[in-house]
């Protein structure tokens, strides 16, 4: 058995791709708040539905520990405990992957609902609000 | 396409979020997640999984937040007064239906983030040793002159 130092380990493709996905979803969360144009919701939900499929696949890949590998998992110096912990990780990831079926179904249903909606900019209500502000702060 | 080509594609893209174009950001997020699914098909080093799970926990939480925010718009579409999802009773009913489904999806993603965080925590306790693949023992010399015997 050749021990390999943790310090020499560098994360490559998977880590960089995961960081890019994290940043992209963080950016999306910033722009979907108040002030977003609701007419874009239909297209956004289409992308999010596809995103859910990709995330589910990713979790499935990460949870698959049956592939042959040159690495042995250890926990407290024990391979048996290491394998047990690895199994726990795998089970949690498969459970998370299964959730995506529900999430994607809900997103698709919402998208169908959005298709029936017509969004209009309601200037009338905006003007009434301004009027109320004027009256409240008037002399 | 090999994973390293996908990674090149990610690095050449503008990493700065636009903060003003949700449709474009959603498209970028979807592209990044597709590349991630491709890259994780062939993770040979399990030590990468810990870092990937950390990013995925945050990614799922952000996705949950986006879904709840999109739902919240439909919650208050009539009350907000700036945008209205149609002014008919049917329009309002459809808006509430959309809101309900998006909140459900957001809550499911919240559960997903929790499950990934649990996996991340469990993964943190594992250390990996790099070992050579087992080699086959050298077959003993057989005397074929006497034929094959069991």
């Amino acid at each position: 058995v050749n021990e390999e130092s943790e310090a020499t380990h560098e994360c490559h493709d998977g880590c960089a791709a995961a960081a890019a996905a994290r940043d992209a979803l963080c950016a999306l969360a910033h722009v979907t708040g108040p002030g977003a144009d609701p007419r874009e919701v239909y297209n956004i939900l289409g992308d999010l539905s596809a995103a859910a499929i990709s995330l589910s696949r990713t979790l499935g890949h990460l949870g698959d520990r049956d592939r042959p590998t040159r690495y042995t998992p250890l926990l407290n110096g024990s391979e048996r405990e290491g394998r047990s912990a690895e199994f726990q990780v795998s089970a949690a990831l498969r459970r998370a992957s299964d959730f995506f079926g529900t999430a994607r179904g809900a997103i698709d249903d919402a998208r169908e609902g959005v298709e029936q909606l017509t969004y209009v900019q309601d200037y009338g209500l905006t003007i009434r609000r301004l009027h109320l502000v004027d009256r409240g702060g008037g002399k | 396409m090999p994973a390293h080509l996908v990674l090149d594609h990610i690095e050449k893209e503008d990493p700065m979020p636009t903060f003003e174009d949700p449709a474009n950001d959603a498209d970028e997020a979807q592209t990044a997640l597709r590349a991630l699914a491709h890259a994780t098909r062939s993770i040979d080093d399990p030590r990468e999984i810990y870092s990937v799970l950390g990013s995925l926990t945050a990614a799922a939480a952000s996705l949950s937040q986006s879904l709840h925010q999109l739902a919240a718009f439909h919650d208050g579409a009539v009350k907000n007064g700036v945008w209205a999802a149609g002014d008919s009773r049917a329009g309002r009913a459809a808006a509430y239906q959309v809101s309900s489904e998006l909140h459900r999806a957001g809550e499911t993603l919240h559960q997903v983030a929790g499950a990934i965080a649990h996996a991340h925590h469990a993964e943190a306790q594992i250390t990996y040793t790099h070992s050579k693949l087992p080699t086959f023992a050298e077959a003993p010399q057989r005397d074929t002159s006497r034929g094959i015997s069991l």
Side-chain angles (χ1 to χ4, degrees):
Chain A
V1 175
N2 296 328
E3 294 285 347
E4 190 172 277
S5 167
E6 288 293 321
T8 61
H9 171 242
E10 289 179 11
C11 202
H12 296 294
D13 293 1
C15 299
R22 177 201 61 207
D23 292 347
L25 283 169
C26 182
L28 180 64
H30 274 95
V31 295
T32 49
D37 186 340
R39 292 170 296 184
E40 294 180 335
V41 170
Y42 182 79
N43 289 333
I44 291 171
L45 292 181
D47 283 328
L48 293 188
S49 179
I53 296 174
S54 295
L55 262 174
S56 177
R57 282 185 186 152
T58 297
L59 293 174
H61 294 157
L62 296 174
D64 177 13
R65 300 297 181 93
D66 295 332
R67 287 176 291 188
T69 176
R70 292 170 297 162
Y71 293 88
T72 305
L74 297 176
L75 178 61
N76 301 323
S78 160
E79 181 178 343
R80 189 180 61 79
E81 288 186 37
R83 298 273 178 211
S84 174
E86 203 177 43
F87 179 79
Q88 282 183 29
V89 172
S90 181
L93 292 178
R94 287 180 184 177
R95 192 168 66 245
S97 179
D98 289 343
F99 277 131
F100 274 103
T102 306
R104 191 178 166 231
I107 293 170
D108 288 343
D109 287 346
R111 193 166 182 241
E112 278 183 24
V114 166
E115 203 174 15
Q116 301 167 25
L117 293 175
T118 304
Y119 296 99
V120 291
Q121 214 157 8
D122 195 339
Y123 295 108
L125 276 173
T126 307
I127 290 167
R128 278 203 294 277
R129 279 185 161 195
L130 289 172
H131 182 60
L132 285 172
V133 170
D134 285 344
R135 286 178 67 186
K139 296 171 185 174
Chain B
M1 183 186 297
H4 69 278
L5 294 180
V6 176
L7 181 62
D8 285 348
H9 176 66
I10 292 168
E11 288 174 345
K12 284 171 187 168
E13 284 181 357
D14 184 3
M16 294 298 291
T18 59
F19 287 108
E20 55 192 25
D21 189 350
N24 185 52
D25 285 338
D27 186 50
E28 285 181 11
Q30 190 254 330
T31 303
L33 285 167
R34 200 170 58 226
L36 174 61
H38 196 96
T40 52
R41 279 196 318 178
S42 56
I43 285 189
D44 293 325
D45 188 344
R47 291 172 301 176
E48 290 190 12
I49 290 175
Y50 176 74
S51 173
V52 171
L53 290 180
S55 295
L56 282 183
T57 304
S62 292
L63 187 50
S64 172
Q65 183 185 341
S66 289
L67 289 165
H68 278 305
Q69 285 173 172
L70 292 171
F73 167 78
H74 292 87
D75 283 339
V78 179
K79 287 179 280 183
N80 284 343
V82 178
W83 288 94
D87 55 358
S88 67
R89 181 176 292 180
R92 283 195 295 274
Y96 287 129
Q97 176 71 18
V98 168
S99 162
S100 169
E101 295 293 350
L102 290 178
H103 275 306
R104 189 160 70 94
E107 198 51 41
T108 306
L109 259 297
H110 180 70
Q111 301 289 327
V112 167
I116 299 173
H118 177 74
H120 188 225
H121 177 73
E123 183 69 31
Q125 300 171 42
I126 304 174
T127 55
Y128 292 94
T129 55
H130 185 221
S131 55
K132 286 182 179 174
L133 288 172
T135 54
F136 291 105
E138 197 168 329
Q141 293 290 327
R142 293 191 177 92
D143 183 3
T144 54
S145 62
R146 288 187 287 179
I148 298 173
S149 60
L150 293 176

